[in-house]
Amino acid sequence: MAGLEGIEQPRGHGRATAARWSPTVEDEHAQKALELFGDPTEAEVPLPSRPESAAAARRLTQVVVLRQWGLTPKMTEDAVLLVSELVGNAVRHTGARVFGLRMRRRRGWIRVEVRDPSRGLPCLMPVQEMDISGRGLFLVDKLSDRWGVDLLPRGKTTWFEMRVADR
């Protein structure tokens, strides 16, 4: 599969911003995303192909992996990062109006899929230390246990899988 394809912080507001963020508030945002868009474990969730949809996809991933599936914060963090990368690629490179998000769990594995109408294959590029973009699939390749692309009659599904310890 490998062949496929400094923001400055406002001054003086750091404490106020940090005081407003909390896991409880983040859980509420994630729960609202689930109510608004649907549950990606039950059916593919359609999201508009806009940069702000990455936030919705991250929140959906967070609530599913951490709350519904009860997996570790580290697993959640990695899955959220990787879904953000796949969504970013779908938004930037496919010209789609909508993409789909689907999440599945089976014994020992989780799978996250992003479907879009483009049949153009993503490409894993070599990454240099000073590169400021193009690291998305590199991260997917490094943090997931496996990933790939399934061509469909109309479009493709780009996916990654991660091993999980079943209890």
Side-chain angles (χ1 to χ4, degrees):
M1 286 288 97
L4 294 177
E5 163 62 16
I7 299 174
E8 187 174 332
Q9 296 298 314
R11 299 189 196 281
H13 300 295
R15 278 185 238 141
T17 302
R20 283 191 305 244
W21 185 90
S22 75
T24 304
V25 170
E26 196 55 35
D27 280 349
E28 289 174 15
H29 288 283
Q31 195 61 42
K32 285 180 185 173
L34 195 61
E35 292 166 8
L36 181 62
F37 296 105
D39 186 340
T41 66
E42 294 175 1
E44 181 179 283
V45 172
L47 294 166
S49 189
R50 297 191 308 253
E52 54 270 19
S53 290
R58 285 190 298 269
R59 287 183 172 132
L60 289 168
T61 302
Q62 175 195 348
V63 76
V64 167
V65 176
L66 189 63
R67 300 295 175 225
Q68 287 185 15
W69 291 343
L71 300 176
T72 66
K74 175 64 173 141
M75 173 73 66
T76 303
E77 181 181 334
D78 288 349
V80 166
L81 173 62
L82 299 185
V83 81
S84 188
E85 296 299 337
L86 293 188
V87 166
N89 285 348
V91 170
R92 277 189 299 279
H93 301 299
T94 67
R97 289 193 310 234
V98 175
F99 65 89
L101 175 66
R102 179 97 168 122
M103 301 177 67
R104 301 167 192 242
R105 182 167 182 192
R106 68 180 194 280
R107 185 168 180 79
W109 293 91
I110 64 167
R111 179 180 174 108
V112 178
E113 304 172 350
V114 174
R115 187 185 56 79
D116 66 69
S118 169
R119 286 179 56 85
L121 296 176
C123 184
L124 178 61
M125 304 296 287
V127 175
Q128 303 297 319
E129 186 176 328
M130 299 303 288
D131 289 347
I132 58 173
S133 66
R135 294 179 184 265
L137 286 180
F138 174 80
L139 290 171
V140 172
D141 190 57
K142 293 299 177 197
L143 295 176
S144 69
D145 290 292
R146 51 187 181 215
W147 69 276
V149 180
D150 297 331
L151 284 175
L152 306 170
R154 292 186 180 186
K156 68 178 174 298
T157 298
T158 307
W159 53 268
F160 68 85
E161 294 182 335
M162 299 170 80
R163 289 183 201 275
V164 297
D166 287 320
R167 297 176 194 166

